[in-house]
C-alpha cells in the first residue's frame, strides 16, 4: 500500500539513527521494525490474557474479577495501538509529508480515520 | 466472594426460567453459566485475533491495517465486558439488593468501580 | 418513568440515613438529590470549559492546547456520568430489585444500555 | 509555539486551494481557520448541552435520560477533537515534516501524546 512512498534514502537513514527520541529510526518498509520484538512480546502477553480469561469463565470466577482483567487487557491493547500509531506517524506519514502531493493528504486522511476508530472503540 | 448472597430459592428459580429477556435465568453461583459457552467462544475468537496480530507484526503488515484489527478486537472485548456486567447486575446485584443491607451497598460500589474502569480504559 | 417503583417508605428512609457510604440516602424521586448542588457546580464548570474552548478557537490558540482542554472536559463529563450512574444503581435499581418482578429486569436492562453507551462514547 | 514552522510559501498556498478533500487549505497560523465558524457553532451547541444538563439535574429528570444526554455531548466533543486533530496533522505536522529535522520529531511526539490523551479520556 505504501511501498512506494517509504523508500528511505541513505541520507535519511543516517539522520534517523541519530534520533534520540526513538522517532526516525527504521530499517523496514513499515517503520516499526526496530521494536518488532517488543510488539510481539506484548501481543503474546495479550494472547495469554485472552487465554486466562477463558480459564476464569470456565472456572466461573467472580464477574468483577473477570471485568478487572478485561480492563487491563483493553489498556494493554490500546497501548500497543498508540505505539504503532506513533511509529506510523513518525515514519510513513512524515516520509509522505516530506514528499508532499496528494499522497501526503491521503496518508493523513487514513491516519485520522484510524485515530477516530481508536477513540471511538 | 458472593457465595452467601446468591442462593436462589426454588421460587426464584421458577420465575427465572420464565424470563424471556435472558435476565434472571442462572444455575451457577456467578450468574453467567447459561451463556458460558457463548462467552468462551467469543474469548477464543479474541485469542485468535491476538495471534493474528502477532502474524501481522511478524510479516510487517501495514500499520493502519493492524490498527483496524486492534480496534475490532477492542470492540469485541468491550462487548464481552458489557455482557458480563449486565449478567452481574441482573444476578449478583439484584439478588444482593433483594436481601438489602450493607452487602447490597458493597455490591453496588463494586459494580460502579468496575464500570468506571471500563469507561476509562 | 420510575415514579411508581421509587416510593421509599419510612423504614427504608431511616435505614438510608444511617448509610455511611453515601449509598442509600435520598429524599427525592431520582436519588441524586443529596448531591444535586455538587452536580450543578460541576456542570457549570463544564459549561465554562465549553465557553473557554470557543475563546481558544476564536483566538486561534494552538490546536494541541485546545485538544488538551477537550480531554479534560471529556474526563469531567465522564466523571459526572459515572457519579449519576452510581446514584442510579444505588437508588432506583436497588429499590426496583428489592421489589423484584419484571420492573427490576427492565431497570437492569435500561442501566446496562446506558452503561454501554457510556463505554462506547 | 509553532509560529516559526508554519510559514507557507505562495506555491504551497496555491496547491492548498486546489485541495478537494479539505486537507491543505488554510490561511491562519493554526490551520483550522477555514472551518473556524463551524467549530464555534459546534462548541456553542455543546455549551448549550451543558446548560441543558443543568436544567435536567435542577428539575430532577430521570437519571437515564441525563446519562443519554451526557453520552451525546461526549460524542459531540470527541467529534470536535477528531476534527481539530485531523486539521492539526494536515497542516502543522505536514508542514513540519516537509521541513524535517528535530522540529518534525517534536511535532509528531506532541501529536501522539494528544492522541493518547483522547483515546484514554
Amino acid at each position: 500500500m505504501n511501498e512506494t512512498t517509504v523508500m528511505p534514502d541513505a541520507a535519511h537513514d543516517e539522520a534517523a539513527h541519530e534520533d534520540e527520541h526513538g522517532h526516525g529510526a527504521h530499517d523496514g518498509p513499515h517503520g516499526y521494525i526496530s521494536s518488532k520484538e517488543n510488539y510481539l512480546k506484548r501481543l503474546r502477553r495479550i494472547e495469554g490474557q485472552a487465554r486466562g480469561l477463558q480459564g476464569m469463565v470456565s472456572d466461573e470466577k467472580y464477574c468483577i474479577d473477570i471485568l478487572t482483567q478485561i480492563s487491563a487487557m483493553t489498556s494493554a491493547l490500546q497501548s500497543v495501538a498508540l505505539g504503532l500509531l506513533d511509529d506510523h506517524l513518525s515514519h510513513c506519514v512524515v516520509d509522505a509529508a516530506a514528499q508532499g502531493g496528494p499522497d501526503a493528504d491521503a496518508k493523513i486522511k487514513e491516519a485520522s480515520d484510524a485515530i477516530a476508530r481508536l477513540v471511538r472503540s
Side-chain angles (χ1 to χ4, degrees), chain A residues 58-75:
Chain A
S58 257
D59 298 349
E60 292 181 41
K61 295 289 184 211
Y62 189 46
C63 269
I64 295 292
D65 296 334
I66 302 180
L67 291 175
T68 302
Q69 286 303 306
I70 293 183
S71 291
M73 189 176 157
T74 305
S75 292

Side-chain angles (χ1 to χ4, degrees), chain A residues 25-39 87 91:
Chain A
H26 65 114
D27 307 300
H30 289 141
Y32 52 79
I33 188 90
S34 62
S35 43
K36 198 162 125 176
E37 260 320 306
N38 177 270
Y39 283 124
D87 286 347
H91 302 299

